[in-house]
Amino acid sequence: MFSRANKEFLIFIFFLALSAIFWFILTMNEVYVRQVPVCVRVTDVPRNIVLTSDDSDTIQVTLRDKGWVLSTYLTGSDMLTAEFRFNDHRTGNGVATITSADIQKYLAQRLNSSTTVVQVKTDRLDFFYNHGQSKKVPVRWRGLVEPDEMYFISEVGYNPDSVVVYAAPEVLDTLRAVFTEPLNQTGFRDSLKLTARIARVGGVKIVPDRTSITFITDVLSEVHLNGVLIHGINLPDGKILRTFPSRVGVKFVTGVRRFKELRPSDFIVVADYNEIRRRPSAKCHIQLKQVPHGVQTARLDESHVDYLIEEE
């Protein structure tokens, strides 16, 4: 009984597979319209020319043919490629232009004779170039990079910290820096090292196209530093401003490692003679004019001190 059942099952499977093959043959013999990716490439670029955009681009082309033929385009190991000589499409304004008509004509000559190019999904492709004009610009990161609570980024290092950009002269004149693609890193405590791609800029070639960025973290701490000297400013010749006290303390938030490097001379506190003359008082106003890098929410212990103006 089991032998007979197995035999019937195998016969069923055989005819099922046979019918599937016939169905597949009939289906693939139908005419279809499908979108196929095509790589458009510029070739034979002269040595004295620098392409400031990629030398290739991918577009979608709509083709009509039998399923057998279209499947060879869609499942082939290599993408369909349309190649155009640079000198045949260059212009005098730094752009080599390849139109949809150029692409359609190229494909019509090289695809299967039964294949029809229905549509090219672009009006034109522009490849920018120059004659080697370049300059060096710094790299800057962008995005969201935030360490864990009570930590902050004390320093950012780049390797390389600058790149060479090739572009049209009018673009080079306005380009001051390049930026990375948006970064997204949060909640870290130890120093973080990332490799980031440089964001593409239209008509600009960037060498190299990526950089290594190191975010150095430190623990936030509120600290106090004494002995910051008060400087008199805007004093006329022959006058000396003396304050009592002559030095003040400053409170601020910074990293533990950064605090060990700070000195009172890194801060600048001033008393303005012009302000004293406009608003005469028994005490003069002092203000924190300059704080070093990595210092946050800095404030003086006192905002007014006694003073004396002497004649030399």
Side-chain angles (χ1 to χ4, degrees), residues 85-309:
R85 295 182 68 253
F86 175 82
N87 285 332
D88 293 340
H89 298 273
R90 66 185 297 180
T91 63
N93 58 354
V95 182
T97 299
I98 299 172
T99 65
S100 60
D102 295 329
I103 298 170
Q104 193 162 350
K105 181 179 178 181
Y106 181 96
L107 293 176
Q109 295 174 349
R110 286 164 177 80
L111 296 177
N112 193 293
S113 58
S114 61
T115 303
T116 302
V117 180
V118 178
Q119 185 182 22
V120 177
K121 294 284 187 178
T122 185
D123 291 331
R124 54 188 280 178
L125 290 177
D126 291 331
F127 295 88
F128 298 91
Y129 68 91
N130 71 6
H131 292 84
Q133 297 94 332
S134 66
K135 77 174 185 179
K136 206 170 188 179
V137 296
V139 178
R140 297 288 181 264
W141 71 274
R142 67 177 176 183
L144 177 64
V145 180
E146 293 182 353
D148 203 357
E149 190 176 358
M150 296 306 297
Y151 286 78
F152 81 111
I153 298 172
S154 61
E155 188 178 347
V156 180
Y158 300 86
N159 184 27
D161 61 359
S162 57
V163 294
V164 177
V165 292
Y166 297 85
E170 58 271 18
V171 176
L172 292 177
D173 290 341
T174 60
L175 198 61
R176 298 288 178 264
V178 294
F179 295 86
T180 67
E181 293 180 347
L183 304 176
N184 186 9
Q185 294 286 334
T186 59
F188 58 95
R189 294 187 176 186
D190 296 330
S191 295
L192 177 68
K193 188 173 184 179
L194 301 172
T195 298
R197 294 184 63 89
I198 308 296
R200 296 181 63 179
V201 181
V204 178
K205 181 177 182 180
I206 303 172
V207 180
D209 63 353
R210 64 188 64 207
T211 185
S212 176
I213 309 175
T214 303
F215 296 92
I216 300 175
T217 59
D218 202 352
V219 181
L220 281 173
S221 179
E222 185 174 51
V223 293
H224 183 268
L225 186 66
N226 285 314
V228 179
L229 184 65
I230 301 173
H231 300 271
I233 61 173
N234 296 321
L235 287 161
D237 292 339
K239 291 187 181 294
I240 299 175
L241 174 65
R242 300 190 187 277
T243 62
F244 307 95
S246 61
R247 297 176 182 268
V248 292
V250 59
K251 294 179 182 177
F252 53 90
V253 174
T254 190
V256 174
R257 288 195 296 267
R258 180 61 175 141
F259 174 67
K260 295 178 181 179
E261 302 170 352
L262 294 176
R263 300 292 180 267
S265 57
D266 296 328
F267 297 81
I268 296 180
V269 177
V270 300
D272 191 345
Y273 176 80
N274 290 336
E275 183 179 349
I276 295 172
R277 189 175 58 177
R278 286 195 304 267
R279 301 186 183 92
S281 174
K283 291 181 178 289
C284 69
H285 176 252
I286 59 174
Q287 57 180 324
L288 194 56
K289 197 72 172 179
Q290 179 178 306
V291 298
H293 173 72
V295 169
Q296 304 175 24
T297 63
R299 60 194 185 279
L300 297 173
D301 287 347
E302 47 193 320
S303 60
H304 292 80
V305 295
D306 294 326
Y307 72 96
L308 179 66
I309 298 178

Side-chain angles (χ1 to χ4, degrees), residues 78-89:
D78 296 325
M79 184 185 299
L80 286 176
T81 301
E83 296 184 342
F84 299 89
R85 295 182 68 253
F86 175 82
N87 285 332
D88 293 340
H89 298 273

